Amino acid sequence: MAQVNPKIIESISVREFFESYADKLQLELVAGQDGLKRFIREKSINRPSLALTGYFKHFANRRMQLFGAGEMAYLRDLNESAQYKVLREIVAKHIPCLIVSRNFAPTKAMYSIAEETNTAMFRTPMKSKDFVAEGTVLLEDKFAPRSTIYGTLLDVKGIGTLLRGKSGVGKSECALALVERGHSLVADDVTYIKKVGEREIVGTSAEINRGYMECRGIGIISVADLFGIRCVRVEKRIDLVVTFVEWQPGMEEERTGLDQSTFDMLGIQIPHIQIPVRPGRDMARLVEVGALVQALRLTGHDSAVEFNERLIATMAGDK
Amino acid sequence: MDAMNQANEDSELTKVLKVQNKMGIHARPAAMIVRISNKYNDVEVWVEKDDDQINGKSIMGLMMLAAGQGSELKFTATGSKANELLKELEELFARKFEEA
């Protein structure tokens, strides 16, 4: 039931970036098509102004190079041979690609260097600051560490809730009951997770089984067809992990909720509750309440702590 | 068999325990008490404080008593292992629920 080893992404190809985000970033490939096979090796975007002046110490050559108003103006002020010289030097550092913002027209030197060295050059109508902001977020996503976890992910009233437990313990039945109550399914049984930034884990399903789940005794069912499209969600941040454990006499159960245990996902600690499964317990209802308690905690209210503080204050007053 | 200590099914044992920790029986100590009392399936436990009587397996009941430092709780246990249960509780109270 352990997590599959996380996959760390070291680089992505320029082609993958272009094909994924051409629409979002309004990218148009204007030269150097063969350069699409190059790799972006750092999840950031560089403005190569210092490099254009010929200063290459700490040049961020692993990043995409963005030419904005400043870079383009500087370049145009250089004579053609100076342009060739400095551009050749930049490209020789094995940069992934060139991007020109605000739909500026690349100079003749830029076109010929891009073609000659097989370096992809893109143009976008976006402003540099918007391109950097948007592009960084998209890169962050592409470079996010990923893993697979065995569990069913649901959106329970805005709280991303991952149900875990041994096979046959009733995860899918519980998920079904939650869907029936109007919550939505993100992934059944196998959840792909990725770390976004340093704070969040986002879960999704494989594309092939999105909106489907397996229900023992009935078979594969389409949640979207049976319960409506609102019951399917593509991805969701994971806020809570619920593990179903088989109840045994004498086992330790959480009784107060004062101690919040956590579950490690790609190095991020997610709040975790363990619910013992016993015949006759309405698991879906318990998960629903667990998610609501978590929602309350996120708004700064901890029922267990507040109750206990009241009790302690009462006892102190009695003395 | 030692007839004095071997409680049979019907025997009812009582023990008065004094709350010694500073904060009294708040959620954590209450959880520790029910963890013990729920281990003994065949033993029934009742707890009395002043005029209230509650089931010793209920955490909400125990907290409702609001038993602060110095208060006394009367535990009444019935069942085959009542003696052991009370002994465990006595030790727990003596340890001040691992608090100050």
Side-chain angles (χ1 to χ4, degrees):
Chain A
M1 211 150 46
Q3 269 166 261
V4 175
N5 279 341
K7 194 166 115 197
I8 306 297
I9 287 126
E10 306 275 1
S11 65
I12 62 162
S13 71
V14 176
R15 180 184 304 280
E16 186 184 343
F17 183 80
F18 176 56
E19 283 173 356
S20 308
Y21 303 131
D23 285 345
K24 273 189 183 151
L25 297 172
Q26 303 169 60
L27 290 169
E28 179 199 353
L29 179 66
V30 292
Q33 192 172 355
D34 281 351
L36 289 178
K37 59 177 183 283
R38 290 186 187 227
F39 285 93
I40 303 168
R41 288 164 293 159
E42 217 170 334
K43 51 179 182 182
S44 182
I45 296 164
N46 188 49
R47 304 273 308 254
S49 14
L50 273 177
L52 286 172
T53 69
Y55 189 81
F56 280 96
K57 257 188 208 167
H58 300 291
F59 175 57
N61 65 322
R62 297 156 172 269
R63 306 178 186 174
M64 299 191 283
Q65 306 294 322
L66 177 67
F67 288 67
E71 287 83 0
M72 290 309 292
Y74 182 84
L75 207 54
R76 280 203 209 91
D77 283 349
L78 295 178
N79 64 41
E80 197 146 284
S81 68
Q83 281 188 36
Y84 272 102
K85 184 173 172 287
V86 73
L87 287 170
R88 214 165 250 135
E89 217 172 334
I90 288 176
V91 169
K93 305 282 181 198
H94 302 291
I95 56 163
C97 61
L98 303 167
I99 298 158
V100 181
S101 66
R102 288 177 181 240
N103 258 346
F104 286 120
T107 64
K108 213 177 121 202
M110 287 173 87
Y111 273 110
S112 33
I113 293 283
E115 287 294 346
E116 177 190 311
T117 61
N118 291 327
T119 307
M121 179 160 72
F122 303 100
R123 225 159 73 144
T124 171
M126 291 175 82
K127 288 182 187 164
S128 298
K129 72 170 168 68
D130 298 332
F131 184 86
V132 169
E134 189 84 3
T136 310
V137 171
L138 297 174
L139 280 171
E140 193 72 56
D141 189 70
K142 280 277 179 208
F143 278 85
R146 276 145 215 277
S147 186
T148 305
I149 190 159
Y150 296 102
T152 296
L153 180 60
L154 293 127
D155 176 353
V156 180
K157 286 271 185 290
I159 300 292
T161 307
L162 183 82
L163 306 181
R164 290 172 69 249
K166 281 197 190 124
S167 171
V169 80
K171 295 186 296 282
S172 293
E173 284 80 355
C174 177
L176 198 58
L178 286 165
V179 164
E180 231 176 347
R181 288 180 192 183
H183 306 298
S184 38
L185 177 77
V186 183
D188 181 36
D189 221 25
V190 179
T191 301
Y192 290 162
I193 58 171
K194 68 182 175 200
K195 176 155 87 174
V196 179
E198 281 308 307
R199 300 160 292 123
E200 282 188 3
I201 296 291
V202 171
T204 187
S205 81
E207 213 166 315
I208 180 77
N209 53 12
R210 178 164 301 143
Y212 289 89
M213 58 188 290
E214 192 232 322
C215 190
R216 280 168 196 240
I218 297 175
I220 293 165
I221 60 168
S222 162
V223 171
D225 288 346
L226 285 169
F227 302 102
I229 190 66
R230 79 178 70 175
C231 292
V232 178
R233 212 190 139 129
V234 176
E235 61 172 30
K236 178 74 189 92
R237 179 186 71 210
I238 303 180
D239 303 293
L240 177 68
V241 177
V242 178
T243 304
F244 291 166
V245 286
E246 277 171 65
W247 184 82
Q248 282 152 354
M251 76 185 295
E252 292 225 334
E253 297 170 85
E254 181 59 50
R255 298 294 296 263
T256 62
L258 285 175
D259 303 305
Q260 176 82 70
S261 72
T262 58
F263 187 84
D264 182 291
M265 274 191 209
L266 299 171
I268 293 185
Q269 303 305 317
I270 312 278
H272 181 209
I273 53 179
Q274 293 201 40
I275 304 185
V277 180
R278 295 176 77 167
R281 288 192 106 180
D282 183 347
M283 299 311 285
R285 189 75 201 127
L286 289 171
V287 169
E288 213 172 19
V289 172
L292 288 176
V293 167
Q294 190 53 34
L296 208 53
R297 275 205 182 112
L298 290 174
T299 62
H301 295 281
D302 191 313
S303 324
V305 169
E306 279 166 25
F307 177 87
N308 204 27
E309 279 167 1
R310 268 178 50 180
L311 176 59
I312 290 168
T314 307
M315 289 189 289
D318 279 353
K319 257 185 252 172
Chain B
M1 260 208 268
D2 186 349
M4 292 291 280
N5 288 329
Q6 198 64 44
N8 62 41
E9 290 279 329
D10 306 306
S11 74
E12 189 181 277
L13 299 173
T14 62
K15 188 159 265 172
V16 176
L17 299 172
K18 194 170 180 177
V19 180
Q20 297 183 62
N21 68 320
K22 202 169 153 202
M23 289 206 287
I25 307 228
H26 59 99
R28 251 180 258 275
M32 292 166 118
I33 293 170
V34 297
R35 198 158 283 154
I36 290 174
S37 59
N38 279 290
K39 269 201 315 201
Y40 296 87
N41 264 329
D42 312 328
V43 185
E44 213 175 285
V45 201
W46 290 91
V47 188
E48 276 176 71
K49 178 181 170 264
D50 307 328
D51 293 331
D52 290 318
Q53 191 190 41
I54 57 100
N55 188 324
K57 300 192 181 195
S58 152
I59 187 168
M60 287 313 270
L62 275 163
M63 291 193 289
M64 190 210 78
L65 295 178
Q69 188 178 25
S71 54
E72 291 186 335
L73 302 182
K74 183 176 159 199
F75 284 81
T76 305
T78 329
S80 58
K81 285 183 175 169
N83 201 16
E84 286 161 51
L85 185 152
L86 289 177
K87 223 172 128 197
E88 262 198 75
L89 285 178
E90 189 174 19
E91 283 161 11
L92 178 68
F93 274 70
R95 286 202 305 276
K96 297 184 180 183
F97 309 101
E98 277 134 40
E99 285 182 5

